[in-house]
Amino acid sequence: MTENAQQQPPAPDSELPTQYAPADVEGPLYERWVERGYFEADAKSEKPPYTVVIPPPNVTGSLHLGHAFEHTLIDALTRRKRMQGYETLWQPGMDHAGIATQNVVERELGKEGKSRHDLGREAFVERVWQWKAESGGQISGQMRRLGDGVAWSRERFTMDEGLSQAVQTIFKKLYDDELIYRAERIINWCPRCLTAISDIEVEYQDDDGELVSITYGEGDETLVVATTRAETMLGDTAVAVHPDDERYRHLVGRNIRLPLTDRSIPVVADAHVDPEFGTGAVKVTPAHDPNDFEIGQRHGLPSIAVMDEHAVITAHGPFQGLDRLEARSAIVAALRAEGRIVAEKRPYVHSVGHCSRCKTTIEPRLSMQWWVKVGPLAKAAGDAVRDGKVKIHPQEMEKRYFDWVDNLHDWCISRQLWWGHRIPVWYGPDGEVVCVGPDDEPPTGEGWHQDTDVLDTWFSSGLWPFSTLGWPGQTESLAKFYPNSVLVTGYDILFFWVARMMMFGLYAMDGTPPFHTIALHGMVRDQFGKKMSKSFGNAVNPLDWMDKYGSDALRFTLARGANPGVDVPIGEDWVQGSRNFANKIWNATRFALMNGATVQGPLPEPSAMSATDRWILSRLNSVVAEVDAHYEDFQFAKLSDALFHFAWDEVFDWYVELSKTVFQAGGEPAEVSKRVLGEVLDVTLRLLHPVVPFVTDTLWTTLTGGESVVIAEWPTDSGFRDRAAEREIEALRSVITEVRRFRADQGLQPGQRVPARLTLDGTALAPHEAAIRQLLRLQPEGDAFTATATLPVAGAEVALDLSGTIDVAAERKRLAKDLAAAEKEMAQANAKLGNEAFLAKAPENVVDKIRGRLAKAEEDIARLRSQLDRLPQA
């Protein structure tokens, strides 16, 4: 803990409003932070660097709860490091989102009755840039609403001039090193978007389909294959069986007739086939299935494409011109007419890939594309983690990372789009192929043309940690801020974005990884743990909650649920609770200011403080140390919970309440407590600031007169501990808590005064009699005092005179009835848990529920018996 970091002039005299109104505070306060340059980063600074890049949101996107969650965590990290004296850069920017953006603009054109082809490539790309200028990037304004402390002057876009140069540079370097090549292979194809798409752009869902079993061959040379995609049989070039499958050994090497065609196809033996699955025989369609393509490569089979880019059948015959789904039904009908359908199962539920952008069923398709040879790049990415250069947090996620990078297939990087980084390769009239770097002049002349494809969006976003800092130039920013300190991202894109950044960073930056630590978080789910989705009706617009409860409330709720690598449930009730916490901070600080709390001057010596003052300062230092440890371990939920309970339970509910007695009495003890209260609030607001920035800055500047808590010093643990004071106040809290509980159990109103005799001599509680009486509404004992209930607590004794305040006989009757009910509940629960037959059959959640009922009954019995023992005999 530090004393007030900046010796500022006295706090302003202006009082805080009686209520906190986030809508009035947040917007103007954020703009003030930006205008003052608090979030900018100076590459010339001698401060140690701390760098985090924003996972670039799509230019088409708007803030969703996943963004709000991730941004809250990053903002908390960077705000704390800024306060700790680091030159902190949170790098903002957006991704051009090739498919998504092109789809948006194409839909707009469609409303005008036009297509991109009506405009032509150059005019269409111009139209996209126009859309970006007018409508794209609304998420930037929403990030301001959330309070993101990003360096706005450094904002980048994956299609801006500098990043485009970086893309062309690394493409050329990879091409020259023979790590980029062009080849015909199976890719994910979207017949609606008319482009190859990456694995991450494929969403799998269970669809109702049909599984048909078809007889191939004639006479004795027949076998049965099963398929969900009968239309692809027109492109079959073999049937495969396992080499050890005795059922088909006589057919291996022979040709059999392919139904509905005039072709014969071979039966091949391949170890990929599972003889236990289905009939043990599988149709092989190398042009329309990735596994079949591999079988085809091993056996030298031809690849026959039977669909065009729109998934329309191109094979000659009666099915030509049919859509793939129309052809499926027609082919099954034709096979049925020939008597070749052995079995049909419908509906047959199976997992089917869909384009994440337009929801069209994807089609595996053989296509000429550009590829990255990932073998050596992926090995380096794996070794960087194995060697400890990069740490993955939580560590148990390492296995998933290795499972991915150690088994990566070559990466298809070309997309059949117009919006994106165009592949920098030119083709000549005589088959020449020239890759052009950013400093090269492209070839010209008759017959020369550039490749029409663009690069996968992940190609440019994979360069993000260093391209945003000016690479390939040797800039001051690159020297200062690379590598990044930490990458905060969801475990769902560990395999895609993270792996690509690792591969490109190590390759382009001479073996230096792009970040020291990968901190993975989970997904935001609803309060029941269900995935949020518009189709489920449980999706939430975070802006609605921010409008209703304030940005701090949303941020604190998200941070409080953030355990590393674990999904985060969230419900509106929890946000409302966080709003109440912000109000509690506001009201407590307002009380402190009204009672003269101050940060001026040094703290008094411990000898001049009361036990209450020493207790809260001791606890404050412990919390500083605890919060620091949790930050270093990315335990946002734990640090948020520690701050919540310290601020609400200890500072606001106890220290502030105990201070009221001191303030009323006045004198030197009151002056000491005013300074201690000011110190505690100063440090607590600074500790809370990274997670709840708006309310804390408003309160801190009013309390201290400082410029902004954004640039205040982060608290440090001074080492001050007073265990004796902690034990003393813990005893005081025990007495007050126990007597309050007893009063409530007896049905006494909170403000109702009760005569009491306190026996505190010889205990640490003796100095606290006035506070105990005030907080518990206890009157001095009179001449007619009769101790009807005695409570021994913490070595002291509190005797209460309840005569005239409650009907003892009625109260004993009520408690006895409740006790009997609790004992019956305990007996029933014990009977079930003692029944071995029940335990063997009952689901675990049912057994757990009964155990919970038993524990609750036992707790109720102990409480009720204690209450009965304390009541006088009627």
Side-chain angles (χ1 to χ4, degrees):
M1 183 181 65
T2 63
E3 294 184 7
N4 187 31
Q6 304 173 55
Q7 292 301 317
Q8 301 291 347
D13 293 331
S14 58
E15 292 185 1
L16 290 168
T18 55
Q19 290 185 322
Y20 177 49
D24 296 339
V25 170
E26 293 174 352
L29 183 54
Y30 186 85
E31 291 309 311
R32 188 153 65 248
W33 291 338
V34 173
E35 288 166 7
R36 292 177 177 176
Y38 292 157
F39 306 138
E40 296 303 324
D42 183 3
K44 299 180 185 296
S45 168
E46 294 184 0
K47 296 177 183 178
Y50 186 82
T51 317
V52 185
V53 294
I54 194 171
N58 288 354
V59 67
T60 59
S62 59
L63 191 75
H64 56 63
L65 269 178
H67 289 129
F69 173 54
E70 186 169 81
H71 290 199
T72 294
L73 305 188
I74 300 174
D75 198 39
L77 290 174
T78 52
R79 283 179 183 269
R80 173 174 173 261
K81 285 296 182 181
R82 190 177 293 111
M83 295 171 75
Q84 286 182 315
Y86 286 78
E87 193 61 35
T88 302
L89 170 60
W90 183 9
Q91 173 66 55
M94 286 183 294
D95 193 288
H96 66 278
I99 295 177
T101 307
Q102 181 157 319
N103 280 348
V104 167
V105 179
E106 284 197 85
R107 280 197 295 271
E108 285 195 352
L109 285 174
K111 295 174 185 176
E112 302 170 14
K114 298 178 182 177
S115 74
R116 61 183 163 118
H117 300 285
D118 294 324
L119 270 66
R121 182 168 194 145
E122 189 174 331
F124 176 76
V125 170
E126 237 355 272
R127 179 70 176 261
V128 180
W129 278 109
Q130 179 185 338
W131 174 87
K132 176 188 179 293
E134 295 172 357
S135 307
Q138 64 172 319
I139 195 170
S140 295
Q142 296 164 348
M143 287 164 58
R144 293 171 181 263
R145 283 284 315 278
L146 188 65
D148 286 7
V150 299
W152 286 113
S153 70
R154 292 173 171 265
E155 188 174 12
R156 303 303 298 269
F157 180 54
T158 50
M159 286 281 287
D160 69 29
E161 185 177 349
L163 269 64
S164 295
Q165 184 183 29
V167 167
Q168 198 172 350
T169 298
I170 201 162
F171 187 100
K172 170 73 170 169
K173 181 174 170 59
L174 288 163
Y175 182 87
D176 290 346
D177 288 344
E178 298 183 349
L179 293 173
I180 280 184
Y181 64 94
R182 193 168 184 246
E184 194 174 41
R185 291 189 173 185
I186 294 284
I187 45 88
N188 301 312
W189 181 264
C190 176
R192 156 61 184 79
C193 299
L194 298 180
T195 181
I197 60 175
S198 66
D199 292 337
I200 198 172
E201 290 162 328
V202 178
E203 292 180 348
Y204 288 90
Q205 65 184 49
D206 288 341
D207 286 358
D208 287 344
E210 61 179 349
L211 181 68
V212 293
S213 298
I214 309 166
T215 300
Y216 280 33
E218 303 290 351
D220 294 335
E221 296 185 344
T222 63
L223 39 69
V224 175
V225 301
T227 181
T228 59
R229 302 170 68 221
E231 69 278 9
T232 63
M233 69 171 292
L234 301 176
D236 286 358
T237 56
V239 173
V241 297
H242 193 274
D244 299 331
D245 196 330
E246 294 291 342
R247 293 172 294 176
Y248 305 116
R249 190 181 293 275
H250 67 290
L251 292 177
V252 173
R254 296 189 183 184
N255 287 343
I256 60 174
R257 179 175 171 243
L258 177 64
L260 305 183
T261 72
D262 57 0
R263 292 191 292 118
S264 292
I265 56 176
V267 177
V268 299
D270 194 281
H272 172 76
V273 178
D274 180 2
E276 303 298 323
F277 183 77
T279 64
V282 297
K283 59 192 287 298
V284 182
T285 321
H288 293 280
D289 183 275
N291 293 321
D292 293 3
F293 178 78
E294 297 295 333
I295 294 174
Q297 292 289 294
R298 288 193 288 273
H299 296 277
L301 301 174
S303 296
I304 301 174
V306 296
M307 283 181 240
D308 67 11
E309 60 185 5
H310 297 280
V312 170
I313 301 298
T314 57
H316 293 295
F319 311 110
Q320 187 175 6
L322 295 179
D323 171 79
R324 55 184 166 166
L325 298 182
E326 296 172 333
R328 182 177 301 170
S329 299
I331 286 171
V332 170
L335 290 167
R336 192 182 298 114
E338 287 192 5
R340 289 188 174 272
I341 300 295
V342 176
E344 294 180 71
K345 184 177 181 181
R346 67 169 67 87
Y348 178 73
V349 179
H350 61 131
S351 182
V352 177
H354 296 258
C355 174
S356 63
R357 303 300 176 191
C358 67
K359 311 309 176 187
T360 302
T361 300
I362 64 108
E363 188 65 44
R365 183 171 189 249
L366 186 63
S367 179
M368 181 67 75
Q369 303 285 345
W370 285 93
W371 304 81
V372 171
K373 187 184 296 183
V374 300
L377 302 175
K379 182 181 184 304
D383 290 346
V385 175
R386 289 188 174 93
D387 298 344
K389 289 182 181 178
V390 178
K391 298 188 182 303
I392 294 179
H393 191 280
Q395 191 173 359
E396 54 264 28
M397 287 285 183
E398 281 187 2
K399 182 180 184 303
R400 297 179 66 176
Y401 176 78
F402 292 136
D403 286 347
W404 180 257
V405 296
D406 293 347
N407 297 285
L408 268 180
H409 298 294
D410 285 0
W411 170 21
C412 176
I413 56 172
S414 45
R415 299 290 180 267
Q416 290 65 57
L417 304 171
W418 286 357
W419 172 245
H421 295 103
R422 195 163 172 181
I423 288 177
V425 171
W426 271 255
Y427 304 104
D430 298 319
E432 302 95 333
V433 179
V434 176
C435 180
V436 175
D439 299 323
D440 302 330
E441 288 293 329
T444 57
E446 186 176 348
W448 283 93
H449 63 280
Q450 186 177 358
D451 197 299
T452 57
D453 288 352
V454 300
L455 287 163
D456 177 11
T457 297
W458 296 101
F459 190 94
S460 51
S461 60
L463 313 180
W464 193 248
F466 52 94
S467 64
T468 52
L469 297 173
W471 187 90
Q474 297 303 309
T475 65
E476 287 182 324
S477 290
L478 189 64
K480 178 74 174 179
F481 296 113
Y482 187 91
N484 291 188
S485 306
V486 62
L487 174 75
V488 179
T489 193
Y491 63 69
D492 58 324
I493 56 173
L494 171 65
F495 318 128
F496 304 102
W497 186 46
V498 178
R500 281 150 175 69
M501 286 191 290
M502 285 285 283
M503 290 191 296
F504 280 170
L506 289 160
Y507 174 73
M509 300 300 292
D510 300 321
T512 302
F515 18 73
H516 297 301
T517 302
I518 302 168
L520 297 170
H521 59 71
M523 305 295 101
V524 179
R525 297 182 178 271
D526 72 11
Q527 58 188 318
F528 305 108
K530 191 174 182 180
K531 180 181 177 181
M532 286 194 173
S533 165
K534 290 181 180 177
S535 60
F536 296 155
N538 63 350
V540 174
N541 183 345
L543 296 172
D544 292 341
W545 281 353
M546 286 192 280
D547 288 341
K548 195 170 182 180
Y549 303 111
S551 298
D552 284 334
L554 176 63
R555 289 171 61 115
F556 193 71
T557 304
L558 291 166
R560 205 171 175 197
N563 292 295
V566 178
D567 288 346
V568 183
I570 184 173
E572 185 168 1
D573 288 351
W574 306 343
V575 185
Q576 185 175 352
S578 296
R579 187 272 314 274
N580 295 343
F581 179 50
N583 289 342
K584 187 81 169 179
I585 302 169
W586 183 271
N587 293 333
T589 307
R590 195 167 167 272
F591 164 84
L593 289 168
M594 290 169 61
N595 284 275
T598 180
V599 297
Q600 299 311 306
L603 277 171
E605 290 297 320
S607 59
M609 297 180 190
S610 67
T612 310
D613 295 330
R614 297 195 306 276
W615 159 71
I616 199 63
L617 289 175
S618 180
R619 287 292 305 127
L620 180 64
N621 276 286
S622 295
V623 170
V624 169
E626 183 181 357
V627 168
D628 274 336
H630 289 324
Y631 262 116
E632 295 305 314
D633 200 33
F634 304 101
Q635 297 283 357
F636 296 97
K638 290 181 179 178
L639 72 89
S640 299
D641 214 46
L643 285 170
F644 174 86
H645 287 295
F646 174 69
W648 193 307
D649 300 345
E650 298 187 77
V651 179
F652 306 150
D653 276 359
W654 285 103
Y655 184 70
V656 168
E657 287 300 310
L658 292 169
S659 297
K660 289 179 180 177
T661 308
V662 180
F663 293 155
Q664 288 171 3
E668 186 58 27
E671 296 306 312
V672 171
S673 290
K674 289 175 183 178
R675 178 64 187 89
V676 171
L677 180 54
E679 179 75 8
V680 171
L681 286 174
D682 168 26
V683 174
T684 302
L685 291 170
R686 284 188 274 152
L687 289 172
L688 283 165
H689 172 71
V691 181
V692 284
F694 293 105
V695 68
T696 51
D697 196 45
T698 305
L699 294 173
W700 188 87
T701 52
T702 305
L703 172 71
T704 68
E707 181 183 336
S708 173
V709 73
V710 177
I711 55 171
E713 185 179 337
W714 181 254
T716 56
D717 176 9
S718 72
F720 175 77
R721 301 289 190 279
D722 192 326
R723 301 305 184 195
E726 289 190 34
R727 288 191 295 272
E728 181 174 329
I729 302 306
E730 189 55 44
L732 174 61
R733 293 171 65 185
S734 297
V735 168
I736 294 172
T737 301
E738 188 65 24
V739 176
R740 279 177 173 168
R741 183 183 297 120
F742 178 76
R743 286 176 56 112
D745 288 342
Q746 307 313 315
L748 296 175
Q749 295 301 312
Q752 188 173 352
R753 293 196 168 273
V754 177
R757 179 170 58 234
L758 305 184
T759 305
L760 308 176
D761 293 343
T763 74
L765 296 173
H768 301 286
E769 180 166 354
I772 292 171
R773 287 191 178 277
Q774 180 171 322
L775 292 174
L776 291 172
R777 304 296 190 270
L778 302 179
Q779 297 176 181
E781 56 188 290
D783 294 338
F785 179 83
T786 302
T788 58
T790 301
L791 287 73
V793 187
E797 188 176 88
V798 179
L800 303 174
D801 184 354
L802 301 179
S803 58
T805 59
I806 62 170
D807 183 336
V808 175
E811 186 62 18
R812 290 189 71 85
K813 185 177 180 180
R814 182 185 70 82
L815 292 173
K817 182 180 178 182
D818 291 348
L819 178 60
E823 288 172 337
K824 182 179 179 181
E825 174 75 3
M826 181 177 73
Q828 290 175 341
N830 273 323
K832 285 190 175 181
L833 293 173
N835 185 334
E836 293 297 333
F838 169 77
L839 292 177
K841 295 179 181 178
E844 187 62 30
N845 65 317
V846 172
V847 176
D848 285 344
K849 189 174 181 179
I850 294 171
R851 290 192 183 113
R853 284 169 48 195
L854 175 61
K856 175 68 166 53
E858 290 173 340
E859 182 183 317
D860 288 344
I861 290 168
R863 175 178 55 81
L864 292 164
R865 284 176 177 168
S866 175
Q867 290 175 231
L868 279 166
D869 289 343
R870 289 170 176 173
L871 280 176
Q873 295 299 318

